[in-house]
Amino acid sequence: MARAVLILGPTASGKTALGVRLAHAFDAEIISIDSALVYRGMNIGTAKPDAREQDGIAHHLIDVREPFENFSAADFVAECERAIEGITARGKKVLIVGGTMLYAKALKEGLNAMPSTDAKIRESIEVKAAQCGWPAMHELLATVDPCTAARLNPNDSQRISRALEVFYQTGVPISFYQQQKRTGTTHEFLTLGLMPGDRAALHERIRERFIKMIEAGFLDEVRALMARSDFSRTAPSMRAVGYRQAIDYLTGDIDYDRFVEAGVAATRQLAKRQITWMRSMPELIAMDPFTEDVFAKASDAMKVFYG
């Protein structure tokens, strides 16, 4: 059994900088727990840490897939487990840093035996949703999987699509698979959650960062992705906040001002969901990332964890 420290938090809360600082202090390597950082060529819009920001600390699970390849929670858990074993074998401590809460839950609590789905099925669902809207797709889901439909917002496009994909692929509702016994992890985790006390400050940081991304060439990055022969607007990677809105702008569906506001709003909504996830996590130690003593608090928790 290995020990690992999870540093979770909403977007723009300073996870990367804190993780690197703690890695230096505890002789650790970092595993990214971010569903967008796994993709090559998605650097600016994902706030992927460059060599300067990584500051000599080994980082894992960054740039491990092409942008239009699949990367599931099961893929993350499998590759994260291998990374944990390798880091531990080198005598280093393990920091798992990021904001994809579904991956954190899968890593800590295990996975259901969820089937993979066909990209063609996903695309057909996206086409139909574009024609009739996601509330109508939600109604369709209610006819084949009322249990799942009852807990989803009618505009939750990602989860509605996933549930329909599973049903059309297997003929079995996704709720059936979710009720199956999970395969658990063998590792021990300390979970630190960055919970901003000043939500307005977080929102302002999100806006400032999004503007800086645009100034750094975010739209050129998206143009390059759209120019690829394997580009797919419906790919999971293009669901990352900012990318969908940038595609809408570059294809003329919205104007520039609407693009900026939609990108900022989507990022704020992501942060809200991330915070909600963290509040539901048992044994999470919450700390405010915008206070001067956040490093000291995190260090103290790690010292106790490692004895």
Side-chain angles (χ1 to χ4, degrees):
M1 176 187 291
R3 288 186 173 185
V5 177
L6 280 160
I7 302 176
L8 306 175
T11 184
S13 61
K15 300 181 296 295
T16 297
L18 178 61
V20 167
R21 190 177 175 189
L22 289 168
H24 279 298
F26 286 87
D27 191 23
E29 295 183 16
I30 291 175
I31 301 172
S32 168
I33 184 167
D34 189 297
S35 60
L37 296 191
V38 300
Y39 295 113
R40 304 181 189 100
M42 294 176 60
N43 304 322
I44 298 172
T46 62
K48 186 179 292 178
D50 58 21
R52 179 185 60 82
E53 291 168 312
Q54 292 182 22
D55 195 22
I57 297 298
H59 281 63
H60 305 268
L61 296 194
I62 292 178
D63 292 337
V64 296
R65 290 291 191 280
E66 290 300 318
F68 303 107
E69 293 178 336
N70 286 330
F71 189 83
S72 66
D75 292 328
F76 168 78
V77 171
E79 297 202 17
C80 186
E81 292 275 1
R82 286 194 289 270
I84 290 173
E85 291 172 4
I87 295 168
T88 303
R90 289 189 289 276
K92 303 277 189 174
K93 292 183 173 59
V94 181
L95 295 180
I96 305 173
V97 182
T100 300
M101 304 303 167
L102 176 62
Y103 288 4
K105 181 179 176 66
L107 182 63
K108 293 178 67 176
E109 300 179 13
L111 287 161
N112 304 107
M114 195 67 65
S116 59
T117 54
D118 192 307
K120 292 182 179 179
I121 294 176
R122 184 182 309 117
E123 290 175 7
S124 68
I125 291 170
E126 293 281 351
V127 169
K128 190 169 184 178
Q131 296 171 343
C132 63
W134 285 107
M137 301 301 285
H138 181 265
E139 292 179 8
L140 175 61
L141 177 62
T143 66
V144 298
D145 189 356
C147 179
T148 299
R151 62 180 178 78
L152 296 183
N153 183 291
N155 289 304
D156 191 342
S157 59
Q158 186 168 349
R159 290 182 176 84
I160 294 170
S161 177
R162 174 61 172 154
L164 288 171
E165 289 169 32
V166 169
F167 180 79
Y168 289 136
Q169 178 80 21
T170 68
V172 178
I174 196 172
S175 53
F176 169 81
Y177 294 102
Q178 292 170 336
Q179 292 166 5
Q180 302 309 299
K181 185 177 180 180
R182 292 172 176 264
T183 56
T185 182
T186 59
H187 304 308
E188 183 180 354
F189 296 99
L190 169 69
T191 307
L192 307 180
L194 303 187
M195 290 279 201
D198 187 344
R199 196 68 61 86
L202 177 64
H203 286 178
E204 186 58 31
R205 285 169 67 113
I206 287 171
R207 173 175 286 278
E208 290 177 357
R209 191 173 74 165
F210 194 72
I211 297 299
K212 288 180 180 178
M213 286 176 175
I214 296 172
E215 293 172 347
F218 175 45
L219 289 172
D220 288 335
E221 177 174 279
V222 178
R223 286 190 185 96
L225 292 168
M226 294 173 68
R228 290 175 57 124
S229 60
D230 59 348
F231 170 74
S232 172
R233 189 168 183 164
T234 62
S237 60
M238 295 298 97
R239 293 174 181 169
V241 292
Y243 286 86
R244 180 183 296 178
Q245 293 76 23
I247 292 170
D248 286 343
Y249 168 64
L250 292 172
T251 54
D253 294 337
I254 58 176
D255 62 21
Y256 180 80
D257 290 341
R258 176 58 183 154
F259 153 59
V260 173
E261 292 307 314
V264 170
T267 310
R268 288 175 176 173
Q269 284 297 314
L270 170 63
K272 181 179 179 180
R273 292 193 300 272
Q274 290 168 315
I275 290 170
T276 300
W277 270 90
M278 287 195 296
R279 284 176 175 159
S280 69
M281 289 182 177
E283 301 178 356
L284 178 140
I285 300 174
M287 51 193 66
D288 191 334
F290 301 154
T291 57
E292 294 183 358
D293 62 349
V294 63
F295 174 76
K297 287 184 176 179
S299 296
D300 289 345
M302 288 179 64
K303 289 173 185 176
V304 172
F305 178 62
Y306 287 112

